Amino acid sequence: MEVLGTSIVCSYPYHGIHVSTNASFRLDALCARLHGELVGDGAIEITGLSSLADAGPGDLSLFADPRYRKELANTKASAIVARERIPHPPIAQVLVKDPLLALIDLVELFHQPTSFGSGVHALASVSPSTRLGEGVTVGPFAVIGEDVTIGARTVVHPGAYLGPSVSVGDDSLIWTNAVIRDGCRLGDRVIIHPGAVIGADGFGFARRDGKFHKIRHVGIVVIEDDVEIGANATIDRATLGQTRIERGVKIDNLVHIAHNVHIGEDSAMAAQVGISGSTVVGKRVLMGGQSGLVDHLTIGEDAVLIAQSGVIGDVPAGATVSGYPARHHREVLKSTAELRGLEKLRKRVRELEKEILALRQGR
């Protein structure tokens, strides 16, 4: 094992990824940090963050969605972060352009990351040919195969598996029981959540005489910088070549991406999305939960697939689609409205039939 800039130790320094601090800040100081507008008493001491429903005195809460007006009316928080001034209830407020972006800064203040330290646990299995960057941490029962390269400050949690010839960049997190199979390549600041599988064989079979014969998948998966992959998500290796996930893509839990798929930069997909083989997804595409895409499609840049979209044809750039088969969302809304009116139309037709029958009998 080659270790760059660090030593192998027989202890595992990890204690948790986020630890709540005993931080306390005046509201006006928080407002200044967020570049917001203060409404109310700036001397209020804020000691924590909480949801509107669960907050108590000393807590700061977020109001970013009008659907939570009921919780807002009943909250016991000392202050809220919001886009616009809220006249009721009379509560101190920090007004910002985007409360969700403000939450990023607030979480860093109140829940500071724990230092992992570095080193390889005595119960980890690490090949002698592995190359570890400075400050790498490998937890107990992790298995690191031959010719693996792990970049500086990357953390491999207990029970994770990195197969032969895998490479992982700097500052990445490989969580418990994640699997990264042979030859796959991960960039910098990649997060792989528990149970995710990168580089399993694709679903490829050929039939001969009525029986299935497996097609070996000998390609790899390439994951670029700043990608996050949710728990139990699966990304299949290519039949030949690469399955590629470009920079900044966000993948939720339980998503399946098939062999030879290409996902463009800054796209995001919610839970239970399924993408069939060789489909190409453009940049900044958004996919709602349970969207399903057949194989060999092209999804244009900035397209939006609303939840449970069944996509069986190409989607133009910038389009918003929904339904099955997926089509332009406005068309779906129009069809839905017409369907809701069918019962009234049916009643009216029956009434007209009775009137026509009465007229005929009157002759």
Side-chain angles (χ1 to χ4, degrees):
M1 182 190 326
E2 180 183 356
V3 183
L4 306 177
T6 188
S7 60
I8 300 302
V9 296
C10 293
S11 62
Y12 184 52
Y14 167 74
H15 297 290
I17 189 164
H18 288 297
V19 174
S20 180
T21 68
N22 294 320
S24 177
F25 302 92
R26 281 173 54 111
L27 185 61
D28 52 8
L30 291 176
C31 184
R33 183 181 179 91
L34 300 176
H35 305 288
E37 176 187 346
L38 179 64
V39 176
D41 184 4
I44 294 172
E45 287 292 327
I46 301 298
T47 56
L49 304 174
S50 188
S51 67
L52 289 166
D54 297 330
D59 285 333
L60 179 65
S61 291
L62 212 68
F63 180 66
D65 191 324
R67 289 177 293 184
Y68 291 95
R69 288 194 178 277
K70 181 179 179 181
E71 288 81 356
L72 175 64
N74 297 317
T75 189
K76 294 180 174 60
S78 293
I80 59 170
V81 176
R83 285 190 181 87
E84 300 175 348
R85 185 168 183 168
I86 310 296
H88 301 289
I91 189 173
Q93 300 164 35
V94 175
L95 307 183
V96 296
K97 290 182 179 179
D98 192 327
L100 290 179
L101 288 177
L103 181 61
I104 294 173
D105 286 338
L106 291 169
V107 167
E108 290 300 314
L109 282 174
F110 286 93
H111 298 268
Q112 296 179 3
T114 297
S115 174
F116 288 104
S118 62
V120 177
H121 195 278
L123 295 177
S125 175
V126 181
S127 168
S129 59
T130 292
R131 296 172 295 279
L132 302 181
E134 182 176 359
V136 166
T137 299
V138 181
F141 306 110
V143 176
I144 313 296
E146 296 181 356
D147 297 315
V148 171
T149 301
I150 301 177
R153 298 170 301 280
T154 286
V155 178
V156 180
H157 285 271
Y161 171 80
L162 278 64
S165 302
V166 163
S167 66
V168 181
D170 298 343
D171 301 299
S172 293
L173 281 174
I174 312 299
W175 278 98
T176 305
N177 295 331
V179 172
I180 305 170
R181 282 190 49 191
D182 315 23
C184 295
R185 304 204 302 263
L186 280 62
D188 299 337
R189 299 173 300 280
V190 171
I191 301 174
I192 309 293
H193 285 281
V197 178
I198 311 301
D201 287 357
F203 190 68
F205 300 88
R207 265 185 166 176
R208 181 189 299 156
D209 300 326
K211 296 181 179 179
F212 286 113
H213 296 267
K214 182 178 178 62
I215 299 172
R216 289 183 59 210
H217 286 64
V218 296
I220 62 172
V221 176
V222 175
I223 297 173
E224 297 183 4
D225 298 344
D226 301 303
V227 171
E228 185 161 352
I229 297 170
N232 294 319
T234 58
I235 303 177
D236 289 347
R237 68 194 315 109
T239 310
L240 302 170
Q242 300 177 355
T243 301
R244 193 172 196 95
I245 312 298
E246 291 189 1
R247 184 204 60 77
V249 170
K250 309 303 178 189
I251 297 171
D252 198 1
N253 304 334
L254 299 170
V255 168
H256 174 65
I257 298 174
H259 61 87
N260 294 93
V261 168
H262 191 129
I263 308 292
E265 291 183 2
D266 294 312
S267 293
M269 55 205 72
Q272 299 183 9
V273 164
I275 305 177
S276 299
S278 300
T279 286
V280 177
V281 176
K283 298 178 182 179
R284 300 175 299 278
V285 171
L286 302 178
M287 300 184 189
Q290 297 186 336
S291 296
L293 289 72
V294 302
D295 58 318
H296 293 84
L297 295 182
T298 298
I299 311 299
E301 295 182 356
D302 300 298
V304 177
L305 314 183
I306 289 176
Q308 295 189 327
S309 293
V311 185
I312 61 173
D314 293 347
V315 176
T320 298
V321 301
S322 63
Y324 181 84
R327 55 197 191 277
H328 284 285
H329 186 52
R330 288 185 179 179
E331 181 183 337
V332 173
L333 292 176
K334 183 178 178 181
S335 298
T336 302
E338 290 173 348
L339 284 171
R340 288 175 178 172
L342 280 180
E343 183 61 29
K344 291 182 179 179
L345 179 61
R346 184 173 2 188
K347 289 180 179 179
R348 180 59 179 153
V349 169
R350 287 174 179 171
E351 291 172 358
L352 290 172
E353 287 175 340
K354 290 179 181 179
E355 291 177 10
I356 292 170
L357 181 61
L359 289 171
R360 287 176 176 175
Q361 291 175 345
R363 291 177 182 175

